[in-house]
Amino acid sequence: MTWTSPLTLFQRGWTRHRDQDRPIRKVVSNLPFEDLRKREQPNRQYEGNAIKTNKYRLWSFLPMNLFEQFHRLANIYFVGLAILNFIPVVNAFQPEVALIPICIILALTAVKDGWEDFRRYQTDQQLNNMPCFIFRRRLMCFVERRWKDVRVGDFVKVLSNEIIPADILLLHTSDPNGVCHMETANLDGETNLKQRKVVPGFSTLGEPFQPQTFDSTVVCENPNNNLNLFKGFIERPDKRRSGFGIDSLLLRGCTVRNTDDAAGIVVYAGHETKSMLNNNGPRYKRSKIERKMNTDVLFCVLLLFFMCLIGALGHAIWLETFSTMPSYIVPDSNGNYISSALAGFYMFFTMIILLQVMIPVSLYVSIELVKMGQIFFITQDAELYDQELDSRVQCRALNITEDLGQIQYVFSDKTGTLTENKMVFKRCTIMGTEYCHEENAARLAVINGGGNEEEEVTIYQKTKLPPLFPLEELQDDHTGHKNHANTQVAAASRRRSKVAAGAQSDMAFSSPLETVVVPDRKLMLEVDHQMASIQTGPYLDFFLALAICNTVVVSTLTAQRQRVKGRRNSSYSGSSSHNMGQWFKISSLQKFFSSMRFKRNRETMADPFAIDEDEPDTFHISSVSDSRPGQKVISSEGKDKRSLSRSEEVCYEAHSPDEAALIHAAKAYGFTMVERTPRYVTVKLPNETLLKFEVLDVLTFDSTRRRMSIIVRHPHTNEIIMYTKGADSAVMEKLGNVFSVESAAKRIAVRTQKDLDMYARDGLRTLCFAKKVISEQEFKAWFTSRQEALSAIDEKEERLMETANDIENNLTLLGATGIEDRLQENVPETIQALRRAGMQVWVLTGDKPETAVNIAYSCKLLDHEDLVFTFTTNKKSVCKMRLEDTLSEVRRTWGGLGLDPQFRGYNSTFTGPLMEPSIGLVIDGPTLNMALSEDLVEQFVELCKHCRAVLCCRVTPLQKSSVVKVIRQKLRVMTLAVGDGANDVNMIQAADVGIGVSGQEGMQAVMASDFAITRFKHLQRLLLVHGHWCYSRLANMVIYFFYKNVAYVNLLFWYQFFCGFSGTAMIDYWLMIFFNLFFTSAPPIMFGIMDKEVSDSTLLSLPELYRRGQHSEGYRRSTFWIAILDAFYQSLVCFFIPYWTYNDSDIGIFSFGTPMNTVSLFTIILHLAIEIKSWTVVHWVIMVGSVLVYFILTLAYSAICISCNPPSDPYWIMHKQMADPMFYLVCVLTTVVALLPRYTLRVLKGTLAPSLHLRARQLERLPSSCREQQIREWRGFRDTCISASLSSTACPSA
Amino acid sequence: MASSYNAKEEDGHHPGLVGSGGPGAVKSKKPDNTAFKQQRLPAWQPILTAGTVLPAFFMIGLIFIPIGIGLFVTSNNIKEFEIDYTGVDMSSPCYNCAQNYSWNSTSVCTCTVPFTLDQPFESNVFMYYGLSNFYQNHRRYVKSRDDSQLNGDKSSLLNPSKECEPYRTSDRKPIAPCGAIANSLFNDTLELFYIHPNGSKIGIHLVKTGIAWWTDKHVKFRNPGGSNNNLSVVFQDTSKPVNWRKAVYELDPADPENNGFVNEDLIVWMRTAALPTFRKLYRIIQKKKDTMTPTLPPGNYSLEVAYNYPVRSFDGRKRVILSTISWMGGKNPFLGIAYITVGSVCFFLGVVLLIIHHKYGNRNNNADIPN
């Protein structure tokens, strides 16, 4: 493009400058200026649509890439060494040869970077050359151009299923209602549709779009990266303004759906589009091991320094011993000798070059490779695959896999993480009367019946094959998902039963469950009564509110996107329909239905059976509801379709599962929302009449008001009615007439509040519904202020909220609903396992304390035996006092229990595992704020340390993250945060490891996370198995790497004592490079990727094994020093046994080095062999292969190198050595002596003081039946044992 | 901007290639259920406990001890005799030579060292000279050579490598062979005489070829000029190393196959020793084929030394070593003793582990294998 010329670059810079002056951007149509030169274009200062994300160009690749690479310390170290080597007085090797390592590393990295950049370039090119339609004045129609030709101010038309090329202000759509649907999957991974509407009052609906008549100016904000916020207005020539927001903006990268075509004016293009501004690079975190390792690298530097110092001093002293220079000390080229002090000084640098391998620079490269391998295996784990969503575990952060093995604190969100976030309508209260919907509850209970069996559902425990399994399989085949079942043949019975068990508990949450509500008999009568008689009344209002006070969109089946089809397996619906049938039998036996209602119920009930086949596409993950600023923007939707009159099927696209549950509840009572357009809502009443409400305004939900309202005009009475729905407190405080002494309204409010409390105790989510009739005048007055607020560009949100608050008062309470959010499967087991593994589990939720506590009990976070402290106060002094009291009490309890271990041990056999004093802490948001304040935070943290479980309720996203930060910083622990919603993003980012649950609430949490899973239960396997493996593997590998380098390089060091500290290497330099590059690089990497000390099943059944990582036992400072000591010992052996063997013989330098090189290869490889815990084919191949490669390469090299690498020129040395029996004798003896201590100590430790892991390994050898028994015994014993002695290792086995 | 439109028209239509949002068969992401990907490869999982490794220790013990004994016996059967002729002691016959010597002296100082062999040396006897405290492995010394020159490369002959500095040129002529190593070539001449009981001095024939590696002699070291046997012509533009008394083509005028760069004394010297105390093969005394008499019968001998090589500056020692040789090379008791020791230690550890296994191992076993 011409825009990349230097002139434009300058221009761009100038534009930026101007942009800063003006916080807004003005865009006018390009059409009048179409044929003018660029200089005269009105929108010339805005960036074009061509994108360039590649960093390098062909000519600048080498310098830029090198420049970037030299930002890394390790590379600078390397280059420094190479440069040192070019200084003749200090060089240790041939200078050219010394460049090889740095060149190899730089070249490898450059190739990788270059390839990645080329890929980016290719994608850019592809994008830039995508076709799109731009309006041309000359031709008076839309012409096909390419993306890169789009400029700000152009008119662009996008057809259905096309990708939007730039940020376009929507001016016209083919839809008669002026809406356009867009899918943002490319942007945020959400697959539901978002509705966009044309700029209000601008376009005439239904007519063809005529861009040439566009003579207004678009004024909007400057480009920013907020996907949910956009504001501006269109100013017409006559100064009339109409405002617009994000709901009129089509975003680049999204796809237009359900709409034949949409057109608009481009406001942001290219890199200024919101999607491009949102493109951030990958997350980079440094793991705990790496941090520790870096300090150990510093130790290595120190060690290197001392060794070089010894070399330098040694050389100087050695030179001092000569009175006259002997013939073997070579003078410089002038024939002069330098002073011994100076020679010693030079020798220091020579030594650095010689011993450079001491600093394991290759360690960083190897670690990257190992982590890639580890991530590969994590993502390949079939156990972490979710068949329902067809997704694997995602590793988004590439370098913290081993942190998963060191987690000490787990912070979890509740809704959607512990629970399904699939809402089920449970009960409601209307006008103070509670309707408990026991039939519905009975139905749920039947469906759920098989699911919750008993508390110990460990993964491999055998479950009986439930009868519904074949059904599921059939369904699988039917829908073309055979592969799921087929691939599992290998471990059929075990896995099969598991899948079945999963399905069993899963199906309770399948779609019919949420969509089908069995009406309450009493309530039904009530509704029928009001329907029949007066056609109005609070009951009808309540259900109308349920049906219309929401943002649910109705879409017809024909509008369904093909893409989503078949995404969701229908097996669960199948199994639940089976169960439904079962229930149906029961219920008909019990004669639940009166004949009159039976007909109606049949209609409701039968439908799901009829459409079960299509159920797969009724779910998808979803979406930013753009119209709700600041709120938890992402939500999920449950869609359902159903035959309305057998001919037309609709499905609902709800932004939150609550709304879906409510609208289905309303439907159960006959209030079916049939259609929603921006201006009308149509509801079908039980008597089949259609009510078409005119929507006057929608006050969308936000987290401050915590309610939403819809203002409609009743078609019959013509009154203006506002229906409000919201959190109980948010609605209750806005009620009118409640404060008068004794009114019916107050009575209702009090009763409703009582019911609400009861719901909360049952763990239900509550919502209140209210109504208000607004007079015409009032509405008019309000509406004008509302319009003003809407077109405002500054402080728009504040003003909108103000207007909303203005109208939402004096409400009349209609009733409230209780919605159940079920626990995900295996949540209690998972929490228990995490606990056993020594992790503290916290739950942070925005819900109210009652609901949260209830959930906490049901997921075994709290136990009924536990002592639970609840902190809810508004006064800081109270908070402080409580904190101090509790703390002293806890200390006393702790001390008392500590002093009396026998009692505790005795106790535990009855009360189950007593790992820690069972103290639970429940704290709410405001109190938490106080507790986290400067002066109380220490005490709070201290208290939390003693708590078995902490539950924070009513916390804001910000508080969630601050809690995580405080705990992480004050206690210096590894934290993990898991959440699923946008409100968890802060917390996920604050924790050491952030886990996103990709469930019902969209993708924001996943986007922010380091790892993404689909179910909470996967956390168990991810941490206990993969975390543990990754940690052990990496820790062992890092230690080994340090050892390896030190052991090898020390050979050279010891030799210095016998060559006058002159920096001679007795090993050919190429062979030294090969040694690190080929002979000993693969085994540790394989070790870091594939070693398996304890199998996954054992790790899962003995979570206690996880504690090793928590206490960093795999990689301690002591481990490091032991490894270094061992390296010193081994290198001494590897040097001195050949030394004594060959002393005073006629051996040459490099002949002397050959057995040493060989011996240290054997030692290093066999050292690893001792460390490797399980040998698979891969291990054998790589270990044996490394040795073979050594011999083959060395033999080949010394067969050809006659004078290729002076001075060593190892011609025929290896062959000569290998023809000598002494060579083998030396190799065998040295290897045995070098490894004997480590081996013996390992054996002694394994016999006398076996670690937990060793004992677990021994358990694995037992037949499975014995093993289970053993584990149970061990566990039972350990629990008592731990509580008795609080020690984890001293326990003898049962 | 106009250019961009033009470019576009040339390219024509491009169907949208980025199918990120496009429909299409959604392939299941379910991971393959292979043993490798699920990390379920069959594996051997050794557990290091006393019980499992006991046999290994005993095995090592049982193998090492016999090897050690074998080595020890072999080493003891090797006959070795060492004569120090440095001449540091006043009593030493070479004392005078050692005192007066410097590299530049022209006169040859000879001394005769008498010695007595108590035992006969059967088979071939290898005659070494040994130097101690001579750091042939000094880094700058090791480098100071030009292997291409020694390999007969013409251009290197006349333009030796910079590594040879300061022994690269002398009198503006390249030195052949260049470098410090060649310059410091060991130049004592050693001759061995058997003093017959009747008093006559019988010279012992010392074979001067066959002392270098075959590959060095035939591949790595070559005279320049190919088949040109007249070495003085080949080397005419070069100068001798400064410390040498004669040019490289005069090293062994008698045998053209052992002259110039392929002179075996030079080759042996050029293979720099690994350690400051070393020996280098000097001559071979071959066993007489026909007779049953030993190569060196017991009796009196005298070693005649042309004392040229200075070692006093670095407190060095010069020795002559006469040694027979076995399959394991020269006499070295270390390896045999080491094998015996390590073997015994392993055996001992095996016993200790056996005890431990009996005392403690059973405890674990009982726990592990329930009845």
Side-chain angles (χ1 to χ4, degrees), chain A residues 308-320 344 347 1057 1060-1062:
Chain A
C308 293
L309 205 64
I310 290 172
L313 289 175
H315 189 63
I317 293 168
W318 179 74
L319 282 178
E320 280 296 313
M347 192 49 63
F1057 289 86
F1061 300 97
S1062 59

Side-chain angles (χ1 to χ4, degrees), chain A residues 1127-1190:
Chain A
F1128 268 83
Y1129 164 77
Q1130 292 187 9
S1131 64
L1132 277 172
V1133 170
C1134 290
F1135 182 82
F1136 280 99
I1137 287 183
Y1139 170 78
W1140 281 316
T1141 309
Y1142 292 114
N1143 194 15
D1144 194 23
S1145 72
D1146 58 346
I1147 195 156
I1149 289 189
F1150 300 101
S1151 306
F1152 180 63
T1154 306
M1156 283 192 195
N1157 207 27
T1158 316
V1159 155
S1160 78
L1161 178 93
F1162 277 128
T1163 312
I1164 283 173
I1165 294 270
L1166 288 175
H1167 179 108
L1168 187 62
I1170 296 179
E1171 298 296 312
I1172 287 176
K1173 300 299 190 301
S1174 86
W1175 290 77
T1176 65
V1177 185
V1178 185
H1179 289 76
W1180 285 109
V1181 167
I1182 287 182
M1183 298 290 269
V1184 175
S1186 291
V1187 176
L1188 285 182
V1189 164
Y1190 169 76

Side-chain angles (χ1 to χ4, degrees), chain A residues 1047-1208:
Chain A
Y1048 190 59
V1049 96
N1050 268 3
L1051 290 179
L1052 298 178
F1053 182 66
W1054 305 129
Y1055 189 57
Q1056 302 310 308
F1057 289 86
F1058 302 93
C1059 68
F1061 300 97
S1062 59
T1064 317
M1066 69 289 193
I1067 301 164
D1068 180 78
Y1069 188 61
W1070 274 102
L1071 287 180
M1072 279 166 68
I1073 293 175
F1074 286 161
F1075 195 87
N1076 273 325
L1077 206 65
F1078 299 127
F1079 309 149
T1080 61
S1081 60
I1085 289 174
M1086 164 215 60
F1087 178 58
I1089 297 175
M1090 295 191 58
D1091 194 42
K1092 190 155 86 174
E1093 186 171 5
V1094 184
S1095 76
D1096 48 352
S1097 55
T1098 314
L1099 283 173
L1100 284 173
S1101 46
L1102 289 171
E1104 290 82 1
L1105 297 175
Y1106 187 80
R1107 288 171 192 247
R1108 175 163 79 178
Q1110 283 173 328
H1111 304 131
S1112 300
E1113 277 169 40
Y1115 181 21
R1116 286 189 168 156
R1117 186 85 345 110
S1118 59
T1119 333
F1120 169 76
W1121 285 115
I1122 287 170
I1124 298 289
L1125 274 182
D1126 197 23
F1128 268 83
Y1129 164 77
Q1130 292 187 9
S1131 64
L1132 277 172
V1133 170
C1134 290
F1135 182 82
F1136 280 99
I1137 287 183
Y1139 170 78
W1140 281 316
T1141 309
Y1142 292 114
N1143 194 15
D1144 194 23
S1145 72
D1146 58 346
I1147 195 156
I1149 289 189
F1150 300 101
S1151 306
F1152 180 63
T1154 306
M1156 283 192 195
N1157 207 27
T1158 316
V1159 155
S1160 78
L1161 178 93
F1162 277 128
T1163 312
I1164 283 173
I1165 294 270
L1166 288 175
H1167 179 108
L1168 187 62
I1170 296 179
E1171 298 296 312
I1172 287 176
K1173 300 299 190 301
S1174 86
W1175 290 77
T1176 65
V1177 185
V1178 185
H1179 289 76
W1180 285 109
V1181 167
I1182 287 182
M1183 298 290 269
V1184 175
S1186 291
V1187 176
L1188 285 182
V1189 164
Y1190 169 76
F1191 280 105
I1192 291 167
L1193 258 177
T1194 316
L1195 283 173
Y1197 176 55
S1198 40
I1200 52 171
C1201 188
I1202 297 169
S1203 59
C1204 62
N1205 185 29
S1208 49

